[in-house]
Amino acid sequence: MSSAGDAARAEAQRADGRDGGNKGTASTTENRGKRAEEYAQNAICGRPTAHTVVDGLSERYPMSRRPRGAALIFAHSEFEDKALKPRPSAAHDAEIARAAFEALDFQPEVFFDLTKDELVRKLREVSQRDHSGCDALAVVFMSHGEVKARNNMELVCAKDDRLPTKELWINFTAERCPGLAGKPKLYFIQACRGPEVDKGVRMTRPAFGIPVQTDSIQEDYVIPLHADQLVMWASYPGFPAFTSERKGIQGSVFIHFLAENLKNCASTSPRLSSILLKVTREVAVLYESEIDSQNPYHKNKQVPYIHSTLLREIYF
C-alpha cells in the first residue's frame, strides 16, 4: 500500500466532520454554540457505557425473554379543554392493544386519562426501572394531537394539557435508560398530525401487461444515542387520524389494524417489519372515511407513517 494512499486516508480521517459544515467546524467554539460546547466538554470525559449480549453486526434483536418487556398503553378519552372532543373509543382501543401485546408476551400496563404531569412522571419512572431482564419496550399512546403553526412542533394531548410528542420517548434514549440501550423501543401513536385533506388517487390495472425487470464478531462497539427506536404514527405528517364504527373496527382505524396484525402474528413468529408493512397497507387500502358528504374529510384516505432507527430485525 503506498504511503501516498495512507496519507490521503489519514487526511480524510482528520477532516471528518458534519455534512454541510466547513472543515474543522466541529472543533471551533464560535460555530458550535454554548449548548454544543458544554456537550463536547462533557463528552471528553467519556461516553456512557451499557452492557449487551448482541454482536454489533448481528441482524436480529434477541427476543427470547418472557415477558419480553413492558407495554405501556396510554388511552385518553376525556379532556379538560372543552374544545377537545371526548374519545369514546379509548377503552375499546386500549383493550385490543392490551390483548395484542399480551399475546406477544409483553407485560401490558394500561393508563387512562393521565394529566401531563402524571404522564411525564410515569414515563420517567419506567425509564428508571431495571430493564436488564427485558428484550424490548413498547409504548402505545392514544389521544388527540396537533401541530404548532409557529414552529411545526407536534403535540399530543394529556387530560389537562399538551406536550411535545418527543416526550414519549426522550426518557428512553441510551444515555438516559442504559438498561434498554441496544434494545428495541417501539412507539405507536394514535393522534392527528394536522388538518390536511387526502382524497387519494384511483389506481387501475393497465389494459396490457407491463414488463417487470427483476433483479466477524466484535467484542464491543458504540451505537448512537437515538438508535434502536421505531415510532409509528397513525397518519402521515400534517394529516388527521380517523375512527370508525364500520366493518368491525369500532374505534381508531390504525389501532384496529395494528392490534389485529400483532395478535395474529403471535403464533406465526414473522418479523415486525413485515407486520407493520401489512398494517400500513391495510389502513391505506381498506379504509376510507364516510362522513357527511359536505364535510371536507368525507372520503378521505389515511396512511400510517414510520420513523425508524432500528439496527436489526425484530422477529416475534
Side-chain angles (χ1 to χ4, degrees):
M1 222 171 266
S2 69
S3 58
D6 291 341
R9 275 187 291 278
E11 176 61 26
Q13 289 174 351
R14 284 195 295 270
D16 196 7
R18 295 180 300 114
D19 187 9
N22 295 323
K23 183 185 295 186
T25 295
S27 62
T28 59
T29 303
E30 61 271 22
N31 287 309
R32 278 193 306 237
K34 183 177 181 181
R35 180 175 296 180
E37 167 109 356
E38 291 172 353
Y39 182 85
Q41 291 297 324
N42 292 335
I44 293 173
C45 302
R47 51 169 59 103
T49 299
H51 301 289
T52 182
V53 296
V54 187
D55 176 34
L57 298 180
S58 172
E59 294 184 359
R60 293 191 181 194
Y61 288 104
M63 294 293 287
S64 58
R65 292 186 174 98
R66 299 296 183 273
R68 289 188 163 115
L72 310 177
I73 299 169
F74 299 98
H76 291 81
S77 60
E78 300 291 338
F79 304 90
E80 293 181 6
D81 183 348
K82 299 310 176 186
L84 298 173
K85 294 181 179 179
R87 300 181 64 255
S89 66
H92 169 78
D93 291 344
E95 174 53 28
I96 62 174
R98 184 205 62 76
F101 281 98
E102 189 171 72
L104 290 174
D105 291 311
F106 281 81
Q107 193 165 2
E109 303 175 36
V110 183
F111 307 93
F112 286 101
D113 293 332
L114 297 189
T115 65
K116 177 181 176 180
D117 287 346
E118 289 170 340
L119 175 61
V120 171
R121 277 201 304 271
K122 176 53 65 176
L123 292 168
R124 287 176 180 165
E125 180 263 306
V126 174
S127 74
Q128 293 165 7
R129 293 178 186 174
D130 179 6
H131 295 279
S132 58
C134 300
D135 283 330
L137 171 76
V139 176
V140 182
F141 184 88
M142 297 174 278
S143 185
H144 290 300
E146 59 186 53
V147 179
K148 273 189 179 178
R150 179 168 51 86
N151 55 10
N152 268 349
M153 177 185 288
E154 288 196 88
L155 305 171
V156 289
C157 300
K159 181 178 181 178
D160 64 335
D161 201 359
R162 281 87 164 154
L163 67 157
T165 309
K166 67 180 181 180
E167 288 288 342
L168 299 178
W169 56 78
I170 197 170
N171 289 291
F172 299 104
T173 55
E175 86 282 18
R176 296 194 183 193
C177 186
L180 285 173
K183 301 175 182 180
K185 280 79 66 176
L186 311 174
Y187 305 91
F188 302 96
I189 303 172
Q190 167 64 37
C192 291
R193 307 184 71 191
E196 295 187 41
V197 171
D198 182 351
K199 296 298 184 183
V201 175
R202 183 175 299 281
M203 305 294 291
T204 63
R205 293 180 182 273
F208 302 99
I210 299 176
V212 177
Q213 187 174 2
T214 59
D215 289 61
S216 72
I217 297 179
Q218 297 175 303
E219 292 185 358
D220 55 39
Y221 54 92
V222 177
I223 60 172
L225 298 180
H226 295 276
D228 306 301
Q229 173 178 287
L230 179 144
V231 184
M232 187 174 191
W233 284 269
S235 60
Y236 193 79
F239 290 83
F242 292 95
T243 61
S244 178
E245 295 183 2
R246 296 180 294 112
K247 300 178 181 178
I249 294 179
Q250 303 301 316
S252 302
V253 175
F254 168 63
I255 296 297
H256 168 79
F257 286 107
L258 176 68
E260 185 177 71
N261 281 284
L262 289 177
K263 193 171 183 179
N264 289 344
C265 87
S267 58
T268 57
S269 301
R271 59 184 181 181
L272 180 64
S273 58
S274 297
I275 299 168
L276 299 186
L277 181 61
K278 188 167 183 281
V279 172
T280 301
R281 181 168 60 250
E282 290 183 350
V283 173
V285 173
L286 298 180
Y287 176 74
E288 181 173 293
S289 64
E290 287 188 13
I291 315 172
D292 178 355
S293 61
Q294 303 304 311
N295 191 307
Y297 295 111
H298 179 58
K299 290 192 174 299
N300 262 239
K301 302 295 290 184
Q302 175 179 332
V303 63
Y305 181 90
I306 295 175
H307 169 82
S308 175
T309 59
L310 293 181
L311 304 183
R312 323 175 202 286
E313 292 280 7
I314 296 175
Y315 285 82
F316 290 120

